[in-house]
């Protein structure tokens, strides 16, 4: 079989619009298998006291809300225990999993939906195309914009040995609801970090070796939306929320058919060793990558200054050689990311000493 051209699965259905979250009940009701098969809502616990949002979750029969802390990014052990509890709590499979939150909740929802129909532990499925069975119906509802997790074919998890996604044709959501009103309440810092995830996706995709005519228009659109949101003073709050949500979607689509680059290769190591979260971790790394992305970093620094964002410094200052080695091993294992950024210079530019030098700057 000639699989050199990716046959890429996409989100089956998407709704966009301010207030569209209120349609959730109508949207999922035809997907209910029967009265005993509940919908399970995985909801970021930042909404635990948000009665306006909670009142809009259309609970019926045995449907259940499980609040999830995003103190730490999703783990394979967390997915396994959620799946175990769901299986023990009901004699039949749920009708669906609905993730409401940022990238963390979207990835958890995808992973739980997949692991309800695949045996073993979720860490056995980290990597590419190990999932054998279609997951159960799953819906993603982002409440912060930037990761592109709402559109991607991966559910990124930290496992015992790696931070790596469950990449599969069954990972993308069956349904996404894009309601920019849900992003109300995000702090300025988190808005910036997660929003910059999208900006960095654009720069890495648009400057990468894997760029092609499918990815480029998505990357160009997302980049121009990011510039408007983060540099233009004329947008209303609503316009800015709407545009960032669509930037995230397009940034995710751009990456789908290309690849990320050096920022992600380094920040996965940071996240695994130090637990640095994806949004801020990418910003900390990207701030020092002028050598790889000169124009992109210059603009990033302008955006950072405009919004008075100060990033942590010296986070690797006290690490041992062994700890640097752990990060370097993780980073080097992400060869496609380096290849996308460096092409044929891959071997000469990704020496262990070069990576240690890069990590030491952070
Ligand atoms: P997140 O989901 O951890 O959310 C960030 C913070 O924002 C949390 O504290 C959360 O409680 C808060 N928050 C979310 N919505 C809010 C709202 N409306 N009001 C107030 N606070 C709100 O972070 P993120 O940056 O969205 O996602 C990061 C995760 O996404 C990481 O685990 C990363 O690995 C993953 N990721 C996945 C993909 C993918 O393609 N699957 C791509 C990029 C990143």
């Amino acid at each position: 079989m000639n699989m050199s051209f990716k046959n890429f699965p996409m989100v089956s259905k998407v709704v966009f619009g301010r207030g569209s979250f209120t349609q959730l009940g109508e949207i999922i009701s035809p997907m209910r298998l029967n009265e005993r098969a509940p919908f399970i809502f995985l909801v970021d616990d930042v909404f635990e006291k948000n009665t306006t949002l909670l009142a809009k979750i259309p609970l019926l029969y045995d449907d259940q809300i499980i609040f999830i802390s995003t103190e730490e990014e999703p783990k394979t052990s967390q997915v396994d225990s959620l799946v175990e509890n769901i299986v023990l709590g009901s004699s039949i499979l749920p009708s669906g999993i609905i993730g409401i939150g940022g990238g963390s909740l979207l990835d958890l929802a995808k992973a739980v939906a997949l692991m309800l129909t695949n045996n073993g532990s979720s860490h056995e499925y980290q990597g590419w195309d190990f999932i054998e069975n279609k997951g159960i119906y799953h819906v993603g509802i982002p409440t912060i914009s930037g990761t592109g997790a709402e559109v991607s074919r991966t559910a990124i998890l930290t496992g015992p040995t790696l931070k790596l996604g469950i990449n599969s044709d069954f990972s993308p959501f069956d349904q996404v609801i894009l309601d920019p009103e849900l992003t109300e309440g995000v702090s300025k810092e988190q808005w910036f970090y997660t929003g910059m995830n999208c900006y960095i996706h654009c720069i890495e995709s648009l400057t990468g070796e894997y760029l092609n005519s499918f990815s480029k228009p998505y990357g160009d659109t997302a980049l121009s939306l990011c510039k408007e949101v983060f540099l233009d003073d004329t947008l209303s709050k609503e316009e800015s929320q709407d545009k960032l949500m669509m930037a995230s979607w397009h940034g995710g689509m751009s990456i789908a058919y290309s690849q990320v680059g050096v920022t992600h290769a380094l920040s996965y190591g940071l996240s695994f060793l130090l637990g640095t979260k994806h949004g801020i971790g990418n910003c900390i790394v990207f701030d020092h990558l002028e050598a790889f992305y000169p124009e992109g970093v210059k603009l990033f620094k302008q955006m950072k200054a405009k919004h008075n964002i100060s990033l942590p410094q010296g986070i690797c200052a006290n690490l041992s050689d062994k700890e640097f080695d752990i990060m370097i091993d993780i980073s080097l294992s992400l060869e496609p990311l380096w290849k996308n950024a460096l092409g044929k210079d891959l071997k000469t530019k990704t020496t262990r000493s070069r990576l240690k030098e890069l990590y030491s700057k952070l």
Side-chain angles (χ1 to χ4, degrees), residues 11 13-17 19-21 24 42-44 46-47 53 98-107 109-110 139-152 173 175-184 186 194 241-242 244-246 248-249:
V11 170
K13 288 187 163 183
V14 57
V15 172
F16 174 85
S20 57
F21 183 56
L24 179 59
L42 302 180
V43 181
D44 188 320
V46 76
F47 298 114
L53 179 127
I98 292 131
I100 303 177
S104 300
L105 262 293
L106 299 179
D107 282 352
K110 290 187 211 176
V139 180
I141 308 180
T143 64
I144 181 169
S145 301
T147 63
E150 64 278 16
V151 76
S152 75
F173 286 111
Q175 170 81 55
V176 168
I177 297 183
L178 298 177
D179 180 350
E181 276 182 6
L182 298 178
T183 63
E184 189 71 43
V186 175
T194 302
Q241 290 172 343
D242 292 6
L244 192 54
M245 193 160 264
M246 288 323 294
S248 177
W249 179 276

Side-chain angles (χ1 to χ4, degrees), residues 61-93:
Y61 310 109
D62 296 333
D63 293 351
Q64 203 188 338
I65 296 181
I66 303 176
F67 290 107
I68 308 273
S69 160
T70 50
E71 187 78 21
E72 293 182 345
E73 292 189 341
K75 291 195 167 66
T76 52
S77 55
Q78 184 184 14
V79 171
D80 295 347
S81 85
L82 278 166
V83 169
E84 192 181 342
N85 289 339
I86 291 170
V87 169
L88 291 176
S90 168
S91 54
I92 52 172
L93 280 179

Side-chain angles (χ1 to χ4, degrees), residues 173-216:
F173 286 111
D174 298 300
Q175 170 81 55
V176 168
I177 297 183
L178 298 177
D179 180 350
E181 276 182 6
L182 298 178
T183 63
E184 189 71 43
V186 175
S187 71
K188 183 187 77 173
E189 282 71 23
Q190 193 61 54
W191 165 80
F192 185 83
Y193 303 147
T194 302
M196 282 301 114
N197 196 183
C198 176
Y199 173 73
I200 294 167
H201 281 159
C202 297
I203 302 299
E204 294 194 328
S205 169
L206 290 170
T207 59
E209 287 276 314
Y210 295 171
L211 186 65
N212 54 67
S213 305
F214 183 97
S215 289
K216 189 170 183 306

Side-chain angles (χ1 to χ4, degrees), residues 229-277:
V229 169
F230 291 101
L231 292 170
D232 188 333
D233 290 321
T234 62
L235 296 184
S236 69
K237 187 176 72 176
E238 289 77 14
E239 282 170 327
S240 171
Q241 290 172 343
D242 292 6
K243 283 174 190 269
L244 192 54
M245 193 160 264
M246 288 323 294
S248 177
W249 179 276
H250 283 77
M253 283 300 298
S254 180
I255 292 304
Y257 225 89
S258 66
Q259 186 50 277
V260 285
V262 179
T263 325
H264 283 76
L266 292 170
S267 81
Y268 272 41
L270 271 188
S271 166
F272 185 83
L273 184 77
L274 303 176
T276 314
K277 298 219 179 141

